[in-house]
Amino acid sequence: MQTGSVTTPFGRRPMTLALVRRQTQTADIKPGKAVDKWKVFRDASAAIELLGIQSNSLAVLDALLTFHPDNELRQDGQLVVFPSNVQLCLRAHSMAGATLRRHLAVLVDAGLIVRKDSANGKRYARKDGKGEIECAYGFDLSPLLARSEELAHMAQQVMADRAALRKAKESLTICRRDVRKLITAAMDEGAEGDWQAIEDMYVALVGRIPRVAPLATIGEILDEMQMLREEVLNRLEVQDFSGKSSTNDAHNEQHIQNSNTESINELEPSSRNEQGVKPNPARQPSTETLKAFPLGMVLKACPQITDYGDGGAIENWRSMMKAAVVVRSMLGISPSAYQEACEIMGPENAAVAVACILERATMITSAGGYLRDLTRRAARGEFSLGPMIMALIKASGQERLRAG
């Protein structure tokens, strides 16, 4: 048995108090203790992040365990393996020698193995007259045996955290869907309240979700999203929707006429049902084109329009529509073409269409003619902004990859 003694490393490798502590801990292994070496390896693999090691370090540990002849690590057994670097490199998937030495040091620092160096630094075993190993120099695997319960607990904790993270992400996805659809329904059906402000809160909250996030971050955002959902539901519950559907169109038209507080004639179109103007059935917008898109998604697809916002920024839909008016004039789109787009698509979606045209301005011969064509297709229910927005987002991502 080669545990319980403290040995200092050979050559220039320094001795630390942490190494002393790890070596003395092996003397406290319970007599007769045994554990499956591959189970310990699987636990260490699961706890790789908590241990602060990499996959290559696991490959080296795996190779070291293959030099141990038994499937069990036993307190009363031989726990020192003594392969050469050449043999280790071969079993570690032909790892380079310098890489091997670096990851051996990582395993030592992580407290998974201990160096038991000979006087000259060579690895070998001395046998007695019966051929039994009485002393071996190399790498001591006893820390794996001593820490088997700790490694198992770490693996269980990692698995529990992963399950909790997966559950939190699923809950966040469902909550996001609920909030998005409730806000859209409230806007489409003319519910009272500042739903644009609620949507801005939703977009800002979604924008904080990172691609890769720890459980704590996801949990914090989930709590805020659930609070926002409760706020939306509370606002909807206090309203009476009886008769809303029959008066919804009139409500929307009145909103369009009265919401232009900044005296910008083109910002929001006049009502199609004004006195003396007959509604055109061919211009009734389709359900598809009336869907609201998150402002953050639009700005991600069409970043150039941000330069035309107040102070070089667009913080809400009103700012977006004001910027679209500026861009409309710059692109040479006539006021009548933009007015018609607002009537058919809605002012927000018309602004989005102008932003999309701005992104592809170098590929479009006549911006005004292009917008009129989109408007006619939208009136027939043959056009949706969704595919255009997603295509621009995809193209922007590919350009960033090529630039990188």
Side-chain angles (χ1 to χ4, degrees):
M1 174 62 187
Q2 302 296 326
T3 61
S5 60
V6 175
T7 60
T8 57
F10 173 77
R12 298 181 180 180
R13 291 190 294 269
M15 185 64 179
T16 65
L17 295 181
L19 288 176
V20 175
R21 185 164 53 253
R22 289 172 190 146
Q23 292 186 46
T24 54
Q25 285 175 349
T26 61
D28 298 329
I29 299 176
K30 183 178 179 181
K33 181 179 180 180
V35 66
D36 187 296
K37 65 180 182 181
W38 298 119
K39 181 183 182 304
V40 178
F41 177 76
R42 288 192 297 271
D43 291 340
S45 300
I48 182 172
E49 294 182 1
L50 296 180
L51 291 171
I53 61 178
Q54 302 174 351
S55 57
N56 280 346
S57 300
L58 287 177
V60 174
L61 181 60
D62 176 63
L64 285 171
L65 288 172
T66 62
F67 287 99
H68 186 269
D70 301 324
N71 284 330
E72 284 189 333
L73 301 177
R74 302 184 60 85
Q75 182 269 342
D76 56 355
Q78 172 57 246
L79 296 177
V80 177
V81 294
F82 39 91
S84 66
N85 280 356
V86 174
Q87 291 174 314
L88 264 178
C89 287
L90 289 175
R91 295 199 187 183
H93 313 294
S94 299
M95 184 178 291
T99 304
L100 173 71
R101 290 188 291 272
R102 183 170 68 254
H103 287 288
L104 284 171
V106 169
L107 292 174
V108 172
D109 292 340
L112 297 178
I113 62 173
V114 171
R115 294 181 185 272
K116 187 173 178 60
D117 290 343
S118 64
N120 59 5
K122 300 296 183 181
R123 302 171 200 151
Y124 62 89
R126 183 181 297 113
K127 298 182 180 180
D128 57 18
K130 299 179 180 179
E132 299 290 337
I133 296 178
E134 63 177 7
C135 184
Y137 297 98
F139 298 103
D140 190 352
L141 303 177
S142 57
L144 293 174
L145 178 60
R147 301 180 62 187
S148 59
E149 294 87 354
E150 177 190 354
L151 293 173
H153 177 74
M154 293 171 68
Q156 292 172 2
Q157 183 61 47
V158 169
M159 295 303 174
D161 289 345
R162 288 178 182 174
L165 179 60
R166 183 169 59 251
K167 183 178 179 181
K169 286 183 176 180
E170 291 175 354
S171 298
L172 179 58
T173 299
I174 294 174
C175 192
R176 283 179 58 184
R177 181 187 67 198
D178 292 345
V179 175
R180 173 68 272 170
K181 292 195 173 185
L182 287 170
I183 293 175
T184 301
M187 289 181 168
D188 289 348
E189 299 184 24
E192 296 180 0
D194 189 358
W195 293 105
Q196 185 58 62
I198 296 293
E199 182 175 40
D200 291 341
M201 293 171 59
Y202 168 79
V203 172
L205 191 55
V206 171
R208 288 171 45 198
I209 303 176
R211 180 170 298 179
V212 179
L215 177 60
T217 301
I218 294 296
E220 178 181 350
I221 297 176
L222 175 59
D223 290 340
E224 295 185 37
M225 188 68 73
Q226 289 174 335
M227 291 174 62
L228 182 59
R229 181 176 59 184
E230 292 300 319
E231 175 66 19
V232 171
L233 290 173
N234 288 337
R235 293 193 179 198
L236 293 176
E237 286 176 356
V238 298
Q239 300 191 38
D240 179 15
F241 291 97
S242 58
K244 284 285 185 179
S245 58
S246 61
T247 59
N248 186 44
D249 292 339
H251 179 276
N252 289 338
E253 299 299 340
Q254 183 179 4
H255 169 74
I256 290 174
Q257 294 182 50
N258 299 333
S259 59
N260 189 359
T261 58
E262 299 185 16
S263 299
I264 300 177
N265 294 331
E266 297 176 81
L267 185 57
E268 294 176 351
S270 59
S271 170
R272 296 193 300 272
N273 296 331
E274 289 182 47
Q275 184 176 3
V277 179
K278 295 182 179 180
N280 186 351
R283 289 188 175 183
Q284 294 303 318
S286 66
T287 302
E288 181 73 19
T289 56
L290 284 176
K291 288 184 178 179
F293 293 93
L295 183 59
M297 177 186 295
V298 173
L299 295 179
K300 182 178 181 181
C302 310
Q304 292 187 45
I305 198 169
T306 305
D307 298 334
Y308 301 90
D310 295 333
I314 293 177
E315 299 179 351
N316 50 52
W317 277 107
R318 175 164 289 277
S319 177
M320 175 73 177
M321 290 186 286
K322 289 176 63 178
V325 172
V326 177
V327 173
R328 188 277 305 164
S329 178
M330 183 195 70
L331 293 177
I333 299 174
S334 66
S336 62
Y338 185 64
Q339 174 73 16
E340 185 179 13
C342 289
E343 292 175 353
I344 298 298
M345 301 182 186
E348 293 87 355
N349 287 334
V352 174
V354 170
C356 292
I357 293 174
L358 175 64
E359 290 296 318
R360 296 295 179 89
T362 57
M363 306 177 186
I364 298 174
T365 304
S366 172
Y370 189 80
L371 180 61
R372 286 190 183 277
D373 180 64
L374 295 182
T375 302
R376 286 191 293 268
R377 290 166 56 192
R380 297 192 301 266
E382 299 174 355
F383 169 71
S384 171
L385 285 169
M388 180 180 288
I389 292 174
M390 297 311 299
L392 287 172
I393 292 176
K394 183 178 180 181
S396 176
Q398 291 175 346
E399 290 176 1
R400 285 195 296 270
L401 288 175
R402 287 196 294 268

